[in-house]
């Protein structure tokens, strides 16, 4: 038999045998609402320019996403290819549709296609970063979120930051690094 809160609702699954207590000692489970919850709980907008939460479909919560990443080893669609491949900004820019969307976060390239429906802010905000670097926008709304961990199964490579025309400098640096040893 499942546990029930003060309103008589029954909880099943993982919560069926759980014990709940509240900070005020009443012992019941209380739902946060828009007016009583702290802004950090994600129930309130933070004012002008703050992200708006979007109602996601059943099975598209962040917990559902985490379960999917544990179950599916190749969300990036690499079929065994290396996740360390250097990818140019030009190549990233070609993946700019909702059916084939890549972005760059902190120098790493991710295939967002499988994640689009799981994004708490909806797909509208993601459209702004398809085929582009999303780091600045990501940090504006999610500075505290470990995006690299959440998207690790979507990683397709690293952004190639090589500047054409600097080959002679690069080859000298590589030779020096090869000669260096800790012995």
């Amino acid at each position: 038999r499942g546990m029930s809160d003060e309103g008589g609702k029954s909880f099943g699954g993982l919560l069926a045998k759980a014990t709940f207590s509240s900070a005020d000692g009443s012992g019941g489970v209380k739902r946060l609402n828009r007016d009583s919850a702290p802004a950090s709980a994600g129930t309130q907008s933070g004012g002008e320019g703050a992200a708006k939460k979007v109602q996601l479909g059943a099975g598209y919560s962040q917990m559902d996403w985490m379960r999917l990443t544990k179950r599916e080893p190749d969300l990036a669609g690499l079929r065994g290819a290396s996740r360390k491949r250097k990818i140019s900004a030009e190549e990233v820019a070609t993946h700019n549709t909702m059916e084939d969307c890549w972005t760059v976060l902190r120098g790493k390239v991710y295939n967002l296609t499988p994640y689009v429906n799981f994004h708490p802010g909806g797909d509208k905000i993601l459209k702004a970063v398809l085929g582009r670097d999303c780091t600045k926008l990501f940090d504006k709304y999610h500075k505290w979120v470990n995006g690299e961990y959440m998207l690790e199964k979507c990683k397709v490579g690293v952004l190639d930051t090589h500047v054409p025309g600097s080959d002679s400098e690069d080859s000298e640096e590589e030779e020096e690094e090869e000669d260096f040893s800790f012995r």
Side-chain angles (χ1 to χ4, degrees):
R1 179 184 151 143
M3 181 173 183
S4 63
D5 69 0
E6 293 170 357
K9 294 180 185 172
S10 182
F11 297 102
L14 295 174
L15 298 178
K17 296 180 182 178
T19 303
F20 295 93
S21 62
S22 63
D24 66 4
S26 67
V29 175
K30 295 185 180 177
R31 300 224 180 258
L32 296 175
N33 65 40
R34 181 174 282 282
D35 300 321
S36 66
S40 61
T43 60
Q44 299 175 342
S45 66
E48 190 70 28
K52 303 281 190 258
K53 298 249 178 187
V54 173
Q55 183 69 41
L56 300 174
Y60 288 98
S61 71
Q62 290 302 294
M63 289 304 297
D64 292 317
W65 172 252
M66 297 312 290
R67 279 188 217 102
L68 180 64
T69 64
K70 300 297 181 212
R71 221 176 36 240
E72 298 292 330
D74 189 25
L75 290 171
L78 294 176
R79 294 183 286 272
S82 173
R83 293 181 191 271
K84 296 179 181 179
R85 179 172 76 97
K86 288 188 175 183
I87 301 171
S88 70
E90 292 79 18
E91 183 179 351
V92 173
T94 65
H95 299 273
N96 61 0
T97 67
M98 294 305 286
E99 295 76 33
D100 178 27
C101 47
W102 288 12
T103 194
V104 177
L105 178 62
R106 302 192 210 307
K108 296 173 184 160
V109 180
Y110 297 94
N111 178 355
L112 290 183
T113 310
Y115 181 70
V116 169
N117 292 328
F118 292 89
H119 185 254
D123 62 6
K124 183 178 179 184
I125 197 162
L126 290 180
K127 289 177 183 178
V129 297
L130 301 183
R132 301 177 35 212
D133 191 311
C134 73
T135 305
K136 187 175 178 180
L137 189 62
F138 182 89
D139 286 347
K140 179 179 178 181
Y141 296 108
H142 307 298
K143 184 76 173 165
W144 62 92
V145 175
N146 186 343
E148 292 90 341
Y149 175 76
M150 285 185 59
L151 296 173
E152 77 177 311
K153 298 286 177 75
C154 296
K155 183 179 171 190
V156 292
V158 294
L159 188 63
D160 185 359
T161 56
H162 175 75
V163 178
S166 63
D167 290 337
S168 61
E169 292 176 17
D170 290 345
S171 61
E172 288 175 21
E173 288 177 22
E174 287 175 18
E175 288 175 21
E176 289 175 21
E177 288 177 19
E178 290 175 17
D179 294 338
F180 181 78
S181 172
F182 281 108
R183 293 182 203 184

